[in-house]
Amino acid sequence: MRTTVGIIGAGPAGLLLARLLHNAGIDSVVLESRDRAYVEQRQRAGILEQGTVDVLRAAGAGERMDREGLRHDGIELRFARRRHRVDFPALTGGRSVMVYAQTEVCKDLIALQLKEGGPLLFEAEALAVEGAETDRPRVRFRHEGREDVLECDYVVGCDGFWGVSRKAIPAELTRVFERMYPFGWLGVLADVPPSHDELVYARHDRGFALLSMRSPSVSRLYLQVPEGTDAEAWGDEEIWDELERRFVTDDDWRLERGPITQKSVTPMRSYVHEPMRHGRLFLAGDAAHIVPPTGAKGLNLAVGDVVTFARALTHERQTGSPELLDAYSQTCLRRVWQAERFSYDMTTLLHPAPDATPFEDRLQLARLERVASSRAAETDLAEGYTGFSFG
């Protein structure tokens, strides 16, 4: 099998890249190790930055998002029993975010790919990327019980942290930057309308809490828990009681309870692999970088990577110049490190460390007071949350 761009992974990054290349007249093949049902059901991100929303619309994948997604013009910060709303459009020149689950983005892009795009092979496990430093890289993969080879001009690894793509870059050429956090998020889905019309980020002495949503009838909520926590060790009523404590305010706001349908614990880490390119192999999304979910940056960073690659390859096709392809890693990493900074800042702003001293606790509160009282500090948060330029 032969194609111009071999794409490993049919998450939102790989699927969007296939769509962008199709619209530019460039052929591709997408290999996905899981089946279609799994890809369309795996719960991940739910917040789309303004830039991601614009890209999906321009790619022809925004119709259902615009119909069913929930535009949000701000978030609410809670601390010391107080509430402070951050107004995104007022602080960023009109930018906002969209609540639209990754599962739905994948469904939309899969439908478009199967209808109009190139081959999308489910249950096609990539085994190795070979010849990345040559002009004919290959992906060895297993599909329908037999091994095959996909010959490409370029390979883009959108196969996540545990995929094979990153392993094809020689260790002596790489640098890894990483931080592990001593806590995670206990996340639940609940069949109850959200108790607030925007996301609520709460800093409490007992730990962080987040009120989010997947739809007008389904809430997504999170609690900071110790690293290594077993989700099933928490009873449903115990979860609701703890959420109530951490969201408490001095006004009459109330948290609505409902049946919890799913529980999971997400570990927290920051990770960057440099470079994001080796020869004709390009890394995108979690294959190259991971952020703690506090800043809602993971999916959006992946979108920025594939937009950068698609623009660079289109430029090469139109002009013959490999300049933008050669600059791929540097271009992406400028945005990646800003997102890492923002996600780290949000995480350390809102999560009390298990070993925090009283001095450090008061510094956290002082930082939150600064956001609530300074338009400059509030603008910095709003600009980071609504997204960094893909340029």
Side-chain angles (χ1 to χ4, degrees):
M1 186 181 296
R2 169 146 189 81
T3 191
T4 301
V5 181
I7 301 170
I8 307 176
L15 291 166
L16 177 59
L17 176 56
R19 180 67 183 174
L20 295 173
L21 295 175
H22 169 78
N23 289 348
I26 300 171
D27 62 296
S28 68
V29 172
V30 183
L31 305 176
E32 167 57 46
S33 63
R34 302 284 193 159
D35 62 25
R36 180 177 179 178
Y38 180 89
V39 174
E40 293 185 340
Q41 293 170 11
R42 56 185 166 194
Q43 293 290 333
R44 293 289 190 275
I47 304 294
L48 309 182
E49 295 173 356
Q50 182 71 64
T52 297
V53 169
D54 294 342
V55 166
L56 288 170
R57 286 173 179 156
E63 180 182 349
R64 193 164 70 95
M65 174 190 69
D66 283 329
R67 187 172 66 248
E68 300 179 11
L70 307 173
R71 172 179 162 145
H72 279 203
D73 287 334
I75 58 172
E76 183 173 287
L77 301 177
R78 292 193 185 180
F79 60 99
R81 302 176 69 97
R82 293 168 46 201
R83 306 168 64 177
H84 176 77
R85 181 175 185 267
V86 179
D87 185 331
F88 293 154
L91 296 163
T92 64
R95 281 154 48 194
S96 62
V97 297
M98 182 81 75
V99 176
Y100 192 63
Q102 174 176 315
T103 50
E104 307 311 306
V105 174
C106 287
K107 288 174 188 176
D108 296 342
L109 290 169
I110 286 171
L112 284 170
Q113 184 72 7
L114 294 177
K115 180 181 178 183
E116 303 173 3
L120 166 55
L121 305 182
F122 291 104
E123 299 181 88
E125 179 188 6
L127 303 173
V129 178
E130 300 172 341
E133 65 284 352
T134 73
D135 60 1
R136 288 291 185 270
R138 303 172 302 279
V139 182
R140 282 197 299 109
F141 67 99
R142 183 183 295 111
H143 185 234
E144 296 180 343
R146 65 182 181 87
E147 283 197 20
D148 205 341
V149 175
L150 177 62
E151 298 180 344
C152 321
D153 294 334
Y154 305 93
V155 176
V156 182
C158 306
D159 50 347
F161 184 78
W162 302 106
V164 301
S165 300
R166 191 173 64 251
K167 299 172 185 175
I169 302 180
E172 63 270 19
L173 301 180
T174 69
R175 295 186 69 192
V176 169
F177 305 86
E178 189 169 19
R179 179 188 176 98
M180 303 297 293
Y181 298 84
F183 44 76
W185 278 9
L186 170 63
V188 301
L189 277 176
D191 286 338
V192 60
S195 299
H196 194 60
D197 57 359
E198 293 178 334
L199 272 67
V200 177
Y201 288 78
R203 188 272 179 201
H204 191 277
D205 288 343
R206 296 176 63 91
F208 167 78
L210 171 62
L211 187 158
S212 183
M213 60 213 65
R214 283 293 178 263
S215 74
S217 61
V218 177
S219 293
R220 182 74 161 153
L221 304 113
Y222 298 93
L223 286 170
Q224 177 185 346
V225 294
E227 180 185 17
T229 293
D230 177 6
E232 296 307 318
W234 283 72
D236 291 6
E237 290 306 308
E238 184 183 10
I239 291 171
W240 286 117
D241 289 346
E242 189 61 26
L243 286 165
E244 227 167 48
R245 291 187 193 101
R246 298 189 192 183
F247 285 126
V248 67
T249 61
D250 281 334
D251 59 15
D252 60 357
W253 183 89
R254 292 292 179 268
L255 178 68
E256 297 297 327
R257 301 187 178 206
I260 291 176
T261 60
Q262 186 183 111
K263 300 177 193 174
S264 62
V265 172
T266 301
M268 306 281 278
R269 72 189 309 178
S270 301
Y271 175 92
V272 180
H273 179 283
E274 296 186 5
M276 290 175 58
R277 177 202 178 182
H278 174 60
R280 293 200 172 202
L281 167 64
F282 298 76
L283 303 181
D286 286 1
H289 42 72
I290 292 175
V291 289
T294 323
K297 288 282 162 277
L299 181 154
N300 297 289
L301 271 182
V303 168
D305 294 341
V306 299
V307 166
T308 300
F309 176 81
R311 286 175 179 169
L313 184 56
T314 302
H315 178 78
E316 191 271 339
R317 289 302 170 94
Q318 292 174 346
T319 68
S321 170
E323 177 185 6
L324 297 185
L325 284 171
D326 291 342
Y328 171 82
S329 188
Q330 301 95 307
T331 301
C332 289
L333 285 169
R334 282 195 296 270
R335 186 188 66 258
V336 166
W337 276 111
Q338 285 302 316
E340 292 282 354
R341 173 200 61 81
F342 176 76
S343 299
Y344 173 84
D345 286 350
M346 286 285 284
T347 300
T348 57
L349 176 70
L350 294 162
H351 294 74
D355 58 351
T357 65
F359 177 81
E360 290 166 328
D361 287 338
R362 294 302 286 268
L363 278 182
Q364 263 189 335
L365 291 172
R367 290 169 64 193
L368 284 161
E369 290 279 3
R370 174 69 176 167
V371 172
S373 61
S374 164
R375 186 175 179 88
E378 192 179 28
T379 298
D380 184 62
L381 189 154
E383 288 180 343
Y385 200 97
T386 54
F388 301 103
S389 170
F390 291 161

